[in-house]
Amino acid sequence: MRIDIPQKILLEVEKPARYIGNEMNMVKKNPEDVDIRFAYCFPDVYEVGMSHIGSTILYHFLNEREDTYCERVYSPWHDMEEKMRENNIPMYALETYTPIKEFDFLGFTLQYEMSYTNILNILDLGGIPKYSKDRTEEDPLVIAGGPCAYNPEPLAPFVDFFYIGEGEVLYYEILDLYKAIRSKGGSKEDFLEKVLQFEGVYVPKFYDVQYKENGEIESFTPNHPDAKEKIKKVHVKDVDNSYYPTNPIMPLIQVVHDRAVIELFRGCIRGCRFCQAGMIYRPVRQKDPKKLAKLADDILGNTGYEEVSLISLSSSDYTDLNEITDHLFDKHCDVNLSLPSLRVDEFSLDLMDRLSKGKKSSLTFAPEAGTQRLRDVINKNISEDDILSGVALAFKGGWDKVKLYFMMGLPTETMEDISGIKDLAYSIVDQYFGVPKEERARNLKVTVSTSFFVPKPFTPFQWFPQNTYDEFMAKQALLNSEIRNRKIQYNCHDAKLSALEGIVARGDRRVADVIYHAWKNGSKFDGWSDHFVYDKWVKAFEECNIDGDFYHTRERSYDEILPWDFINIGVTKAFLWKEFEKAINEEVTPNCREKCSNCGVSKIDKGACYEKEN
Amino acid sequence: MRKRIKFNKHGQLKYIGHLDLQRLLHRALRKAEIPVEYSKGFNPHPITSFAQPLSLGFISEAEYMDMTLTDNYDNQHLIDKMNTILPEGLRFIDAIDLADKAPKAMAIVEAARYTITLDQDIDKEEIQAFMNQEEILVEKMTKKKRLKTIDIKPGIYELIYKDSTTLEVFCSAGSSNVKPQLIVKALYDFIDLIFDEHLLKFKRHDLYLKREDQFIPLIDA
């Protein structure tokens, strides 16, 4: 069935091109010719979803298979949703306008916790029961992956199975299995039982959870003979020869990141203690610069993009940065190059100068904490000297805008650390005035932004109590009153969203009902601060009789069974605990290239820690 | 070397606006490796100029874009190459070479022809009565966001009844542009019908310049 959306609707909604597909490089297949129909769902608006490189990879990767047609689904914006409901238009996929109910798989990517209500909304708009137990053979299999799938429990009752790890590894085998079972007339249930054979696959219904009286988990046990005790994440071992799309879809409208994207490496050598990505994506796997150069040539040739971005968790750590940037400057001199997350030193300032072709954009630093003590606690490998000498160089080079990012509510944080944020910003202003007038640019602007720290699973801070709402706001008020300098602008926001994110991030299966009720109460697009309504969630917690504080302001003990403990990311719990203790003692841990810290991941694969041995 | 391209815009592509269309064409030209001249500055982009932006929701048989190439390029080859790249709903139809001094398409457009599919039935006589008015006054928003009453009758060269739900209009375009939506709105008001622009379908047939009292399509310039 092909959905027809009346012109009147499309002309009355904001940005109708969000809902029409048909972009350059979109994959076209005849649905009659394929065995498997896969709807890849990004539970946010089109412009956000189309900017996500993981989605691009998976979309084209799945479409490489002749027997599979992967189509895209994004959350309709409020105006479109209203019209879809009024006119009984079911949620459909962009390639063929087929209702999502007709697909074999709905695959959701979980990029941030606050998109979970959008998942329920997509299912609802598709006429698909939200809870797995209510779905029939006629409904698609609902699967989920992505970084937030590393704690799958808050979505456990809604999802048939989770994919833990990088998509390129196992999807083909899973689809082969599905096809084999379906061709023999097997049921969804048969498939779910057989899919247990794979690493990285978690089928929630095959596990039971018991709770203690105090609310902690008593036990988490498989209830099916083939269900594994531990789910081991899967990751790409050979990044140079793994699939990367060279013909990505080019959106018809401007999206958040509207450019060609090249991935430099996966993982991160740094080990910042708050960073989940830095732990779950270990080990570091660098790509060969020559292969990347070829990829860039192909992608630029196939798209016509005027900008290419080299991405990774910390671009300066790419050891062949010179080689790849030189290639791009030489061969694609008319293409803009962007390199997010560079460290500011002489080399990178020179690079930034060339990147921006003389136009000085703003410099961005993420010291995360205001004092060296607290930066040591979080293992953020940047010193005050690094920052001040970096800005001094930049001011001499003609830059005059600096952006600084900090977190509030980090472990062991005191009000002195908060004042330290102000002190650092003031020192930067002093650096500027220390540069002779004729050498510096005219108008200094320092922007300080703070966010609230949310402890995440699989980080050394996973046991740490999150600050209460009142603590957050007191810290913000202090900083707001202390910053009294016309050159410094302070941006802050409300802590309610962060508190909620903290609850969902470390939630267990019981939180699922809260998400369901929040959605029932009308929550969606919660990640969009202007659409987030805290009271809808408060009501949901009351309706479910669940205490949010249990999840976010409670300190956990080392012995407690955490909801995500059954997932094995390679990095051991013992290592994370050791890092937590070192944090409390303000001890730093060297990066993976300086010294291996025995995080445990070397047992599953070689990483930066023994790159040298190869 | 200057060229004028004639292309169409159909299907779902009618839901993208002029700026998005421009970006799309620029990227397609780049992908096709057409040697277009680029602007200088921080964000170089192909220098192109369009005859007249098409309203969102309209389809068109003939849109025009002028551009300058830095090298010789065969017109048919250009058309064929672009058509392998452009998404469904956009096709290059024709290309001509322009003299270096030839005025831009934008500067010479004088008229446009549209087919309009209505959401309600009308009579031929009603059209006649409508056109027999001395003036056709409509309210139009000025650039300063003020409502102004103007007479669009001089700008309606022809209003042809095709059948009870189909009209063809030939009207002024370019600097004294008369939007076809305005004409239908005035007609609906005249015969007392409820007007909802989004229920109508508009198709632009062509854009014309004026030479010796003759209107000729831009591609025949």
Side-chain angles (χ1 to χ4, degrees), chain A residues 58-102:
Chain A
L58 215 59
Y59 171 81
H60 292 282
F61 176 69
L62 294 177
N63 275 320
E64 287 282 293
R65 286 174 69 104
E66 263 184 39
D67 64 354
T68 305
Y69 194 4
C70 175
E71 306 188 34
R72 294 162 297 148
V73 175
Y74 301 95
S75 289
W77 193 243
H78 305 272
D79 55 357
M80 183 64 172
E81 180 188 336
E82 205 176 291
K83 298 207 180 288
M84 288 170 73
R85 290 192 188 276
E86 268 169 28
N87 296 279
N88 292 316
I89 297 171
M91 194 70 227
Y92 62 95
L94 289 183
E95 272 68 10
T96 60
Y97 293 51
T98 305
I100 58 172
K101 201 177 162 66
E102 294 177 23

Side-chain angles (χ1 to χ4, degrees), chain A residues 399-463:
Chain A
W399 271 274
D400 58 0
K401 286 187 196 66
V402 181
K403 279 188 200 158
L404 298 165
Y405 289 104
F406 297 93
M407 279 187 282
M408 285 178 167
L410 290 162
T412 79
E413 185 180 71
T414 64
M415 286 306 190
E416 275 101 85
D417 296 307
I418 300 297
S419 299
I421 295 174
K422 174 212 67 181
D423 295 338
L424 185 59
Y426 275 54
S427 303
I428 287 171
V429 174
D430 291 344
Q431 287 289 322
Y432 173 79
F433 288 107
V435 176
K437 215 172 175 174
E438 51 287 357
E439 286 177 41
R440 65 185 195 222
R442 210 170 295 164
N443 215 348
L444 175 69
K445 190 179 166 200
V446 178
T447 310
V448 173
S449 301
T450 60
S451 61
F452 300 104
F453 170 60
V454 178
K456 291 280 167 103
F458 295 110
T459 66
F461 294 157
Q462 63 180 355
W463 294 277

Side-chain angles (χ1 to χ4, degrees), chain B residues 23-36:
Chain B
R23 185 172 44 241
L24 193 168
L25 286 169
H26 287 172
R27 286 175 175 169
L29 287 167
R30 205 183 167 93
K31 178 173 173 178
E33 296 175 318
I34 310 291
V36 193

Side-chain angles (χ1 to χ4, degrees), chain A residues 20-32:
Chain A
I20 62 175
N22 201 32
E23 303 92 332
M24 265 160 70
N25 295 342
M26 180 185 96
V27 178
K28 283 184 203 159
K29 291 184 186 181
N30 182 355
E32 307 287 311

Side-chain angles (χ1 to χ4, degrees), chain A residues 7-8 10-12 20 22 24-25 97 250 252-254 258 301-302 304-306 334-336 359, chain B residues 12-16 20 23-24 27-28 30-31 42-43 56-57 85 87-88 196 198-201:
Chain A
Q7 162 185 299
K8 180 164 165 62
L10 287 171
L11 288 179
E12 283 178 354
I20 62 175
N22 201 32
M24 265 160 70
N25 295 342
Y97 293 51
M250 305 190 63
L252 293 169
I253 52 172
Q254 193 132 37
D258 204 3
N302 288 336
Y305 272 122
E306 54 296 291
D334 56 336
V335 171
N336 283 322
K359 183 182 168 191
Chain B
Q12 299 298 69
L13 262 291
K14 73 179 177 186
Y15 296 112
I16 70 165
D20 292 325
R23 185 172 44 241
L24 193 168
R27 286 175 175 169
R30 205 183 167 93
K31 178 173 173 178
F42 290 130
N43 292 306
L56 196 76
I85 289 169
E88 197 178 308
D196 181 344
H198 297 144
L199 292 173
L200 307 177
K201 294 203 162 105

Side-chain angles (χ1 to χ4, degrees), chain B residues 44-56:
Chain B
H45 54 88
I47 305 173
T48 51
S49 106
F50 291 78
Q52 181 158 316
L54 190 69
S55 298
L56 196 76

